[in-house]
Amino acid sequence: MTLTETSAVMPERIATKRTVLMCRPEFFTVVYRINPWKDPAIPTDTSLAVAQWQTLYDTYIGLGFDVQLIDPVDGLPDMVYAANGGFIIDNIAYGASFTHPERQPEGPAYMDWFAANDFDVRAPQNINEGEGDFLLVGGVILAGTGFRSASNSHAELAGIYGREVVTLNLVNPNFYHLDTAIAVLDDTNIAYLESAFDEQSLVTLRALFPDAILATEEDAAVLGLNSYSDGYNVVIASRAKDFERQLRERGYNPIGVDLSELLLGGGGVKCCTLELRR
Ligand code: ARG
């Protein structure tokens, strides 16, 4: 008999200290609409955004993470979503090249930070929104396309890192970045929202991750999948209750945080977090 994770054997979950980059949302607001979550008619509260973001920062510090900070830039309200600032493995920082003109200046701002912090920076040839669309799972890079990162950036990624890149097609505009539809839990496990992907991508995901957690529409609708795991502790949206239950069942330690203000910009926990892998 073969044993899957959901039956008899519960593997031990092991936390690994992470190094991440974050950007305090001092200039956060919603003044342009580049995803369905954003409505410039709904007021935002910048000080509440900063306070909620601080809770996430403090949570990471409490988990023993090394949290680096990039200075926010006035006029770049989405810069708080640091995941989009680039993609880093093996000390190589592949820069972002944003789809929308409103975010394009963030690309060089992040690349300057990477260079100043001794990363080997690769200027992008193709449109891509960094770790928003590229997720490392073990040795494989899952790469999203459909709304933001162009599919030719996937080939560029494969060339830079010499790793397998698996293209996944996003089909629901509410889940426009891969990190809104997939949560990476550790080197072999993910959670995802099935309805965010086309049929071909689902075949791929089911083959690669037969034991994946399948998220509910309700949890995805509060960006519950937009979470960040150290292999044991999984920082999630506090409203994602079924996801929390499923994580516990699988031996993870879910930690809820409330980023409701940053949700008005269409981002959650993971969007505010860029992993720095030296
Ligand atoms: N307002 C931002 C945008 O639409 C949110 C980015 C969310 N980031 C992420 N990694 N999913 O671009």
Side-chain angles (χ1 to χ4, degrees), residues 28-272:
F28 175 74
T29 177
V30 173
V31 284
Y32 51 83
R33 181 168 207 190
I34 59 172
N35 70 53
W37 302 80
K38 300 184 85 173
D39 180 355
I42 297 176
T44 50
D45 179 341
T46 304
S47 60
L48 179 57
V50 171
Q52 291 180 340
W53 175 94
Q54 187 68 42
T55 309
L56 179 62
Y57 176 93
D58 292 345
T59 301
Y60 287 158
I61 296 294
L63 292 173
F65 292 8
D66 176 1
V67 185
Q68 306 278 313
L69 293 172
I70 180 172
D71 288 334
V73 176
D74 195 358
L76 298 178
D78 277 332
M79 204 172 161
V80 58
Y81 304 112
N84 299 125
F87 184 64
I88 297 121
I89 311 175
D90 300 337
N91 212 50
I92 301 173
Y94 175 46
S97 171
F98 285 82
T99 310
H100 299 99
E102 293 91 337
R103 295 197 70 184
Q104 280 164 5
E106 294 182 45
Y110 275 92
M111 278 191 275
D112 287 350
W113 189 93
F114 301 142
N117 287 275
D118 299 324
F119 288 94
D120 173 3
V121 180
R122 306 293 170 89
Q125 306 297 309
N126 297 293
I127 302 285
N128 83 86
E129 298 196 355
E131 208 168 52
D133 275 325
F134 308 142
L135 297 171
L136 183 68
V137 190
V140 174
I141 300 168
L142 304 182
T145 189
F147 297 100
R148 301 293 180 87
S149 299
S151 56
N152 55 10
S153 69
H154 300 183
E156 198 180 351
L157 262 186
I160 290 173
Y161 295 106
R163 294 182 192 235
E164 186 188 347
V165 176
V166 175
T167 291
L168 298 170
N169 301 306
L170 295 162
V171 295
N172 181 340
N174 288 325
F175 306 106
Y176 55 94
H177 277 138
L178 191 65
D179 71 357
T180 65
I182 290 184
V184 179
L185 302 175
D186 54 38
D187 284 350
T188 48
N189 292 292
I190 67 167
Y192 65 97
L193 176 69
E194 291 181 288
S195 66
F197 296 95
D198 72 357
E199 212 33 64
Q200 187 194 327
S201 306
L202 287 175
V203 170
T204 306
L205 286 169
R206 287 170 188 147
L208 286 174
F209 306 103
D211 289 321
I213 291 178
L214 301 179
T216 62
E217 297 289 334
E218 290 70 24
D219 285 355
V222 291
L223 288 187
L225 284 168
N226 194 248
S227 58
Y228 188 61
S229 173
D230 68 4
Y232 170 61
N233 303 291
V234 189
V235 185
I236 67 169
S238 48
R239 287 193 274 165
K241 291 299 177 198
D242 184 72
F243 187 35
E244 181 183 338
R245 179 189 61 77
Q246 293 205 64
L247 287 168
R248 242 183 252 294
E249 261 175 31
R250 306 281 188 114
Y252 295 99
N253 181 39
I255 300 171
V257 296
D258 177 13
L259 295 182
S260 59
E261 203 60 25
L262 293 165
L263 200 59
L264 298 174
V269 170
K270 179 64 192 70
C271 298
C272 296

